[in-house]
Amino acid sequence: MNDHGSMGRTARLSADEAGLAEAAAILQRGGLVAFPTETVYGLGADATQAEAVAGIYAAKERPSFNPLISHLESFEAAKVQGTFDDTARKLAEAFWPGPLTLVVPVAPTCTISDLARAGLDSVGLRVPAHPLAHALLKATGRPVAAPSANRSGRVSPTDADHVLSDLDGRIDAVVEGGASDVGVESTIVACLGGAPRLLRPGGVPREAIEALIGQTLESGLEGGEKNPLAPGMLASHYAPRAQVRLNATAIEAGEAILLFGPERMQGSEQAKAALNLSKNGDLKEAAAHLFSYLRQLDASGAQTIAVAPIPETGLGDAINDRLRRAAAER
Ligand code: TXA
Ligand code: MG
């Protein structure tokens, strides 16, 4: 697949053992597969492979990175990825499998890529109830990151034809599993210590959650690009400690540098640390490295991270959006 998400034909896979085995194999080798869940169809990629996750953004033409929900076959599998406090455990036991997503701190054993978490130390996890989603996750044996399987700005798809009308030729396959019955996305609750917060209303009613935990849910806005959370409530974006200087063409003493493409930067021998997002100028590779490289450069102790110009095409939009936020957030 190229930066614009175009590729050959999208395969329609049947909802049987052979179709699911093929879907799992595609996911394991880093491809993109849309599949039914009880809420909406998800556009799945192996959450542990950052380049596969970058493919989701390319296919959806999403202009910014936000943390994605990773789907798991069981609560047991979810515990490898996240740390569940008492409230989170209670919610998982009551509502999983089902249309509830829990945002919890990453576990030390977490294998979900930085890109799927948008660089955060928390992770969004869900165990879907749809039997085909469950079977696919079991066959894949990995966390599967999956936002709704539509192009950015369009409505969420509830059947395979909706998916193909947006993404045909841009993803490897779709599992044909009939109509999703909930039709709205999962409810998202953050359990990050302190009171649990409702980040997005969805398939599980707020009242059902409050009745179970015996307390009112605090509200927290969805951490998407349209509704950044109030500072101090819940960090919705990873921000490096260092200042970030964009479109740098030369570096100053003591800076760390984030390069892109084959060109060297003037003064780079003096850099405190230097990493190249993609020496070949491949935006998908760059997206896959973005958050971990920012963290590594931040850890060098440099006051400023100077970032080389990155083209505003394809995934470059989302990369630049993230970098602009990192440069502005202070
Ligand atoms: O019903 C659904 O949840 C569908 C189906 C396919 O399962 N999936 C879905 O995924 O809507 P997605 O990736 O589009 O959800 C992303 C939202 C973010 O906008 C954010 O609100 C929340 O999940 N989220 C995920 N991880 C988070 C985190 N670490 N911190 C805060 N919010 C997080
Ligand atoms: Mg969506």
Side-chain angles (χ1 to χ4, degrees):
M1 191 163 77
N2 66 29
D3 290 340
H4 305 285
S6 54
M7 51 164 59
R9 278 186 36 140
T10 296
R12 287 174 174 262
L13 300 177
S14 53
D16 55 21
E17 213 171 307
L20 291 172
E22 174 64 14
I26 294 169
L27 289 171
Q28 287 168 347
R29 61 173 185 258
L32 299 177
V33 179
F35 63 97
T37 82
E38 69 278 26
T39 59
V40 300
Y41 271 62
L43 175 54
D46 178 350
T48 69
Q49 298 182 50
E51 282 210 40
V53 175
I56 291 178
Y57 286 92
K60 284 180 67 94
E61 297 184 323
R62 218 181 205 183
S64 74
F65 297 124
N66 62 343
L68 300 177
I69 296 169
S70 290
H71 298 70
L72 296 136
E73 65 156 299
S74 65
F75 184 21
E76 283 312 303
K79 283 188 224 169
V80 174
Q81 307 298 335
T83 303
F84 291 72
D85 65 12
D86 286 346
T87 307
R89 187 166 337 108
K90 229 179 192 176
L91 289 171
E93 279 164 359
F95 296 110
W96 281 354
L100 176 73
T101 293
L102 293 170
V103 172
V104 298
V106 289
T109 48
C110 183
T111 57
I112 293 170
S113 60
D114 263 348
L115 186 61
R117 293 184 281 110
L120 298 175
D121 293 323
S122 57
V123 63
L125 302 172
R126 169 160 120 78
V127 178
H130 195 295
L132 290 171
H134 180 260
L136 176 61
L137 291 165
K138 198 168 171 187
T140 307
R142 322 219 175 134
V144 173
S148 54
N150 51 285
R151 279 214 221 177
S152 192
R154 313 238 188 130
V155 295
S156 297
T158 51
D159 68 33
D161 289 335
H162 294 167
V163 172
L164 289 170
S165 72
D166 264 19
L167 298 173
D168 196 13
R170 305 177 66 84
I171 62 177
D172 296 290
V174 57
V175 176
E176 302 206 89
S180 294
D181 46 47
V182 178
V184 294
E185 272 92 347
S186 60
T187 303
I188 305 180
V189 175
C191 297
L192 294 169
R197 290 181 185 279
L198 181 67
L199 300 188
R200 178 176 80 183
V204 174
R206 167 198 271 269
E207 295 76 13
I209 294 170
E210 292 179 340
L212 180 86
I213 61 177
Q215 86 189 89
T216 316
L217 282 174
E218 303 270 321
S219 46
L221 297 171
E222 180 177 358
E225 64 268 30
K226 291 188 208 93
N227 296 312
L229 291 158
M233 279 175 62
L234 173 75
S236 66
H237 294 292
Y238 165 70
R241 180 203 50 77
Q243 303 287 322
V244 174
R245 188 165 70 81
L246 301 180
N247 297 313
T249 49
I251 78 149
E252 283 145 39
E255 288 185 330
I257 42 174
L258 189 59
L259 295 157
F260 175 83
E263 287 92 51
R264 303 201 42 212
M265 203 188 288
Q266 205 186 313
S268 61
E269 323 69 47
Q270 333 262 11
K272 193 136 190 176
L275 289 170
N276 196 323
L277 286 171
S278 170
K279 290 199 172 106
N280 305 323
D282 174 350
L283 288 164
K284 195 165 158 186
E285 186 188 4
H289 290 148
L290 180 64
F291 291 101
S292 53
Y293 283 12
L294 280 174
R295 272 185 192 265
Q296 284 179 51
L297 294 178
D298 209 15
S300 74
Q303 285 302 307
T304 301
I305 300 171
V307 184
I310 293 166
E312 296 270 0
T313 54
L315 279 173
D317 276 344
I319 295 171
N320 281 306
D321 170 80
R322 185 84 246 357
L323 287 167
R324 276 191 291 272
R325 289 171 196 266
E329 254 168 59
R330 234 106 316 246

